[in-house]
Amino acid sequence: MALRHSVPALRGEVGGFVRSITGAALPGICVTAAGTAAGRPEVASAVSDPAGRYVIGGLLPGRYRISYQACGEGVRYVSPVAGLVAVRVGRPTTLGPVVLRPATSAGLIAASRYIAHRVNGADASRKPVISGSVTNSKGQRLSGICVIASSTSQNGNEASGKVTVTVTRKDGSYGLGSEVTAGRWIVQFLAGCGNTGNYAPQWWKFTSNGNKAKVLIVGKRSHFTGIDAKLVTGASVSGTVRGGSNSGTGLRGVCVDVNGVGPVSDVFAEVTTGKGGKYLVKGLGTGRYQLTFDPECGATGNFAPSNFPKDVAVKDGKTTGGVNWFVPVGGEIKGTVTSAASHVPVHGICVAAGGTTSDAGFGASVTGADGTYTIKGLSAGKYEVSFTAGCGNSGSFAPVAYNNQVSEAAADEVPVAAGQTVTGIDAAMPTGGIITGTVRDAAGHLLAGICVSVASTADEAPQGSTLASFAGLDLAGFANTKSGQYKVNNLLPGDYIVSFTSGCGRLKTSFAARWFAPQGGNGAAVVSVGSGTVRGINVKMGAPGTITGTVRAPGGKPAPQVCVLATGVSGQPPVGQLDDDLPETGKTGTYRITGLAPGKYQVAFAPCGQTDYAETWYKQAGSQASAKTLTVRAGHTTAGINQTMIVGTSISGRVTSASTHKPVARRCVLVLDPRGNLAGVAFTNADGDYSAGNLAPASYSVEVLACEGAAGGVANQVNDNVRVRRSQSVKGINFALPLAGSISGKVTGGSSAAPVAGACVVAETPRGFLFGPAFTRSNGTYVLGGLPPGQYGVTFSSLCAGSTGGFVDESLVSPVTVTSSATTSGVDGPLDADGGIAGTVQVSGSGAAGVCVIAFPTVVRGAPLVAVSAADGSYEINGAAPDSYRVEFTGGCGIAKYTTQWFNGATSRNTSTLVPVNAGTVSPGIDAH
């Protein structure tokens, strides 16, 4: 692979961290993003890695709900009731760390490593930071009450992810110690940690509304006493859960999970149905709750989870009865996972089944010692099954999807009927590549707590730009340095870029982010990884640059809850993503972004909370295209980058069918700025009307498409000339959608013309409008639908979200004609295979390990490719696009000191001999002595 003009992928990603209440990372958590579009919603999933990190890529732009659950059986967690998350084109949506609480009070107690000491008085010699006592309404002291302290952001919302728990003693007292660090905290009181009474939850200071909790400002020497609670009788919910249908037999062993909505969103409870399927949930507070019924708490039989169809309203001191429901008969998926190399069973592999149809759900399992797994309790529908390492296996295995596809986009769907057991969904795990190295400061000291991110170049940055950020990239691996060392395994053989940022430990953002780039500068190098270990991917971290400023509301007052993002425009890596300290303005409107690599930046300001502000760019620009560029220097602060927010306006209109003139409902309307960033999302209602708000003054493209990506019916359409002015809503941007056409064909690659799975196909109009992508299935075939009648140029690429690379892009010279309600077939894409460079490095006549071999393309614009010489001095660079390369041999990949040499024995780049690389062949004998 080499960097070249890639197919712009109109897709985005969402990512974050998952942690326990102790602050420890939670690996093996299945995270699902479920689109809210009607019809066939987009559903995708990922599994958190050993650092608790996850990234879900390849998502169509729109709104998603994110849910979390343990992939295997055992510990159950309460998934936070989250609002809608917006996924944008070309920029990752980054979420703050999510803290998962055990679903039972016993698990809640066990999860805190401090509780046993406190309850037994072992911690009594330490002065608590927060202390108090809990009584009931009659003044009687209550033991066994959960006391949960949660850190908050400056706007008072739980955001920083720190949670600590204790339990009241026999005399009703409690104390929270040194784990309550400096910052802003709120305290919550819940029954259930040993107390069997029915008490409503409460927040300090004596409020039943979590949004009205009083914030404690904790300093280094703070000691808050009298943080008491007086609990009143709580609300209850009761009912019966049946198996199969509302008329089925009452089912014992069904989990009843209750999650609060709105002001009681921090309230949760879980019970298990007893004899006859009856249940009683108590300890709730006045408010509305969502109920989920899950058979995995011991129910006999195979049943799928089910949600009660509406929120249940309860009131303190009252029981809301008759909340009856059922769990439907579930399906199962079974299989065996083996090693592709040794054919022996592999244990500890995460297996996830994500539904691809609106009626399907999500399920997960972990392979046992014999390599087998069972995913049960599945709703009827179609599923994509993925297999990834990270659930207990200590080896290195590259991810695969069924049927042994390296791309989820090419995975064969598995249909599951109600109650059906589908067997033989097996996987052969290929050996995973490994990248290792060291991280030091400028003085040579080893650094702990540095985040190391490895991203596949098969998902190049959109719009054919250089790899300036991880926007749209597939995060393939992550590590946190310990004593300066790191190791990233489970990599699919291919080409990767590696990024280093501080913030994964106590260092916070003490160093500037940087790429692995032995060639120097901000440009990332591409590391060629096989099925073995690539050593010596080392860096030295420098002093960070910083941007500070103040954000004000339109009237001049400070504007809190504004997220600030610095986007590098001169090749530097991103910072502040997936970190505890996401830049957000506080009550004074001030912000600080640090950890920046030197270079040029543009700064965006967007509302984090529920405000009517528009997203704008510095300096008072409506889009990135007109934003001012800043220069950031190492070790310096660029201050005074201030912004005044503006009230957003809207674009609205109606979408109809050009053939029937009737409204078209359930369509997604995307508003894109001139750079292709998603500025707004709307959905047409039953009358075909839409309205996209929070827009800044700028020129926009408005695109109407089927959010779920389904082909057929009416076509997608674009209006690229919509001008929004300050304080003026734009109305009447209407669309009459013609009947859609489609194109189909097959993509093959290499001299053998073998099917290429997971390649993307994009159609482009003469005016530059892009439609797609469509992804090829396991047999290389594709169908790209939703096309308006007309002529298109078609591009095939193996370098897009969900693809694996290895082939040269191909664009058809002759235009393809598309007509309404018809499929233009036979639009095939034969791709030439990438080439490579191989040779040997010798020092004093012997093979030398740890030499960086860097190949610089000379014709096609792109990043250099890097390999590291092995123990015998050999190396091979794969994925090189046909081009002429200048090859450098230098130190920095294990050998600290090595006299730089260029091929063939040259001392400079300009005097080196060009190395030609042809499609599908490896250029041998590119040696250094």
Side-chain angles (χ1 to χ4, degrees):
M1 107 99 254
L3 290 183
R4 49 192 179 267
H5 186 81
S6 64
V7 175
L10 294 180
R11 293 191 174 236
E13 64 184 35
V14 61
F17 281 109
V18 187
R19 293 176 177 166
S20 73
I21 62 171
T22 65
L26 278 180
I29 298 297
C30 290
V31 187
T32 304
T36 59
R40 182 185 183 274
E42 182 95 349
V43 178
S45 60
V47 179
S48 62
D49 65 15
R53 190 173 189 174
Y54 68 90
V55 171
I56 304 173
L59 298 175
L60 285 168
R63 297 172 183 171
Y64 292 80
R65 292 191 185 277
I66 311 298
S67 61
Y68 308 82
Q69 69 179 74
C71 291
E73 298 180 3
V75 178
R76 285 173 47 78
Y77 294 97
V78 175
S79 181
V81 180
L84 295 180
V85 172
V87 172
R88 302 188 168 196
V89 175
R91 280 197 301 173
T93 297
T94 55
L95 306 179
V98 170
V99 177
L100 297 188
R101 300 173 179 172
T104 63
S105 57
L108 189 65
I109 297 173
S112 177
R113 60 178 179 270
Y114 306 103
I115 287 179
H117 294 292
R118 291 201 197 93
V119 173
N120 296 327
D123 201 35
S125 60
R126 295 187 179 183
K127 190 175 183 179
V129 177
I130 299 175
S131 63
S133 62
V134 180
T135 64
N136 60 18
S137 58
K138 297 180 180 180
Q140 298 171 325
R141 293 178 177 268
L142 300 177
S143 63
I145 299 295
C146 312
V147 184
I148 305 173
S150 305
S151 59
T152 73
S153 63
Q154 291 185 343
N155 56 53
N157 298 322
E158 278 194 55
S160 64
K162 297 177 182 177
V163 178
T164 185
V165 181
T166 191
V167 179
T168 57
R169 305 179 181 95
K170 290 183 178 180
D171 63 355
S173 65
Y174 74 90
L176 292 164
S178 57
E179 67 277 9
V180 180
T181 56
R184 304 166 63 88
W185 294 77
I186 59 174
V187 183
Q188 180 186 10
F189 305 89
L190 293 172
C193 286
N195 191 298
T196 58
N198 182 15
Y199 297 102
Q202 191 176 104
W203 287 262
W204 197 75
K205 189 174 184 182
F206 307 111
T207 178
S208 60
N209 187 328
N211 294 335
K212 296 181 179 179
K214 184 175 178 61
V215 177
L216 302 177
I217 309 298
V218 177
K220 291 183 178 180
R221 296 179 177 83
S222 295
H223 179 207
F224 293 93
T225 59
I227 308 303
D228 304 330
K230 184 178 289 188
L231 304 184
V232 301
T233 302
S236 302
V237 176
S238 66
T240 301
V241 181
R242 302 181 184 277
S245 68
N246 273 323
S247 60
T249 303
L251 197 61
R252 179 195 290 269
V254 176
C255 315
V256 183
D257 294 324
V258 182
N259 286 279
V261 178
V264 291
S265 59
D266 286 336
V267 178
F268 66 92
E270 181 187 76
V271 299
T272 302
T273 58
K275 185 177 180 180
K278 297 185 181 300
Y279 72 89
L280 172 66
V281 181
K282 56 186 181 180
L284 306 176
T286 297
R288 295 182 300 112
Y289 293 84
Q290 295 176 344
L291 272 66
T292 299
F293 303 95
D294 196 323
E296 70 173 31
C297 283
T300 302
N302 183 26
F303 297 96
S306 180
N307 297 320
F308 194 68
K310 61 182 180 180
D311 294 347
V312 176
V314 302
K315 189 174 182 180
D316 289 347
K318 305 290 184 180
T319 296
T320 302
V323 184
N324 307 321
W325 198 236
F326 70 95
V327 287
V329 175
E332 291 185 334
I333 294 177
K334 294 185 175 182
T336 303
V337 178
T338 57
S339 165
S342 64
H343 308 293
V344 300
V346 181
H347 77 280
I349 297 298
C350 315
V351 189
T356 60
T357 53
S358 59
D359 50 352
F362 179 83
S365 184
V366 178
T367 59
D370 60 354
T372 64
Y373 74 91
T374 298
I375 301 175
K376 60 182 181 179
L378 296 175
S379 303
K382 293 182 179 180
Y383 292 84
E384 288 181 354
V385 183
S386 60
F387 305 83
T388 57
C391 287
N393 192 288
S394 59
S396 183
F397 292 97
V400 295
Y402 184 76
N403 186 10
N404 290 326
Q405 300 298 318
V406 296
S407 166
E408 284 193 31
D412 290 352
E413 292 181 319
V414 179
V416 179
Q420 179 188 14
T421 297
V422 181
T423 60
I425 308 303
D426 305 329
M429 304 292 289
T431 302
I434 300 173
I435 293 177
T436 66
T438 60
V439 181
R440 302 175 185 268
D441 63 15
H445 302 118
L446 292 168
L447 296 177
I450 299 296
C451 312
V452 185
S453 300
V454 177
S456 170
T457 58
D459 292 343
E460 285 188 17
Q463 302 161 18
S465 63
T466 58
L467 286 168
S469 71
F470 278 139
L473 294 176
D474 176 17
L475 185 64
F478 178 80
N480 183 1
T481 60
K482 297 179 179 179
S483 301
Q485 310 288 330
Y486 76 89
K487 178 181 179 181
V488 178
N489 55 5
N490 303 317
L491 298 175
L492 188 71
D495 296 326
Y496 297 88
I497 57 174
V498 188
S499 171
F500 302 82
T501 57
S502 53
C504 284
R506 294 182 180 179
L507 290 173
K508 295 298 179 183
T509 48
S510 304
F511 296 91
R514 65 161 298 170
W515 300 111
F516 172 70
Q519 76 280 6
N522 274 332
V526 176
V527 179
S528 186
V529 177
S531 59
T533 299
V534 179
R535 296 178 173 83
I537 306 304
N538 311 324
V539 297
K540 286 188 176 181
M541 307 287 282
T546 303
I547 297 175
T548 63
T550 301
V551 182
R552 300 192 179 277
K557 294 183 178 180
Q561 291 185 262
V562 174
C563 290
V564 188
L565 175 69
T567 300
V569 295
S570 55
Q572 59 270 50
V575 298
Q577 296 181 25
L578 311 181
D579 197 355
D580 284 357
D581 302 315
L582 296 174
E584 178 181 340
T585 59
K587 290 184 177 180
T588 62
T590 58
Y591 72 89
R592 181 174 184 268
I593 307 173
T594 189
L596 301 172
K600 297 184 181 298
Y601 289 84
Q602 292 175 325
V603 183
F605 302 83
C608 294
Q610 298 298 317
T611 68
D612 57 0
Y613 297 146
E615 178 178 301
T616 57
W617 293 76
Y618 183 77
K619 186 174 184 182
Q620 300 304 138
S623 68
Q624 186 179 6
S626 56
K628 182 177 180 179
T629 299
L630 310 174
T631 299
V632 173
R633 294 182 296 161
H636 288 76
T637 296
T638 303
I641 307 306
N642 308 323
Q643 189 84 338
T644 299
M645 303 301 289
I646 63 173
V647 175
T649 186
S650 64
I651 295 174
S652 61
R654 175 168 291 186
V655 180
T656 59
S657 167
S659 59
T660 67
H661 308 293
K662 293 182 178 180
V664 178
R666 301 176 179 177
R667 283 276 152 165
C668 183
V669 182
L670 308 182
V671 181
L672 306 175
D673 71 11
R675 291 283 182 89
N677 295 318
L678 186 69
V681 178
F683 302 91
T684 59
N685 60 20
D687 297 322
D689 296 330
Y690 74 91
S691 179
N694 291 70
L695 300 175
S699 293
Y700 294 99
S701 295
V702 181
E703 180 176 358
V704 178
L705 74 158
C707 291
E708 65 276 9
V714 292
N716 302 333
Q717 201 172 75
V718 176
N719 183 334
D720 69 333
N721 188 27
V722 180
R723 177 68 183 177
V724 171
R725 304 184 187 278
R726 186 185 292 266
S727 304
Q728 292 182 2
S729 296
V730 179
K731 301 178 181 180
I733 305 301
N734 304 323
F735 294 84
L737 306 182
L739 294 177
S742 61
I743 60 175
S744 67
K746 186 174 184 179
V747 179
T748 57
S751 57
S752 61
V756 177
C760 57
V761 185
V762 170
E764 182 176 2
T765 70
R767 295 181 61 187
F769 300 145
L770 297 169
F771 292 90
F775 291 91
T776 57
R777 307 304 296 179
S778 58
N779 61 0
T781 62
Y782 74 92
V783 176
L784 175 56
L787 300 175
Q791 290 192 324
Y792 295 87
V794 180
T795 300
F796 308 90
S797 176
S798 67
L799 297 175
C800 52
S803 301
T804 58
F807 297 93
V808 182
D809 295 352
E810 176 70 23
S811 297
L812 296 183
V813 177
S814 300
V816 175
T817 300
V818 173
T819 57
S820 292
S821 303
T823 298
T824 303
S825 59
V827 184
D828 300 332
L831 303 182
D832 289 332
D834 281 332
I837 298 172
T840 303
V841 182
Q842 292 186 335
V843 175
S844 301
S846 300
V851 175
C852 295
V853 185
I854 312 173
F856 296 86
T858 60
V859 178
V860 179
R861 182 185 176 207
L865 310 178
V866 176
V868 181
S869 61
D872 61 355
S874 64
Y875 75 89
E876 184 168 333
I877 296 174
N878 295 305
D883 198 347
S884 294
Y885 291 82
R886 296 191 185 275
V887 181
E888 179 184 21
F889 304 86
T890 186
C893 291
I895 290 183
K897 295 182 179 179
Y898 180 84
T899 302
T900 297
Q901 184 181 132
W902 294 79
F903 185 76
N904 188 11
T907 57
S908 70
R909 178 171 180 165
N910 291 337
T911 60
S912 63
T913 301
L914 286 172
V915 176
V917 172
N918 298 314
T921 63
V922 175
S923 299
I926 311 304
D927 305 330
H929 302 280

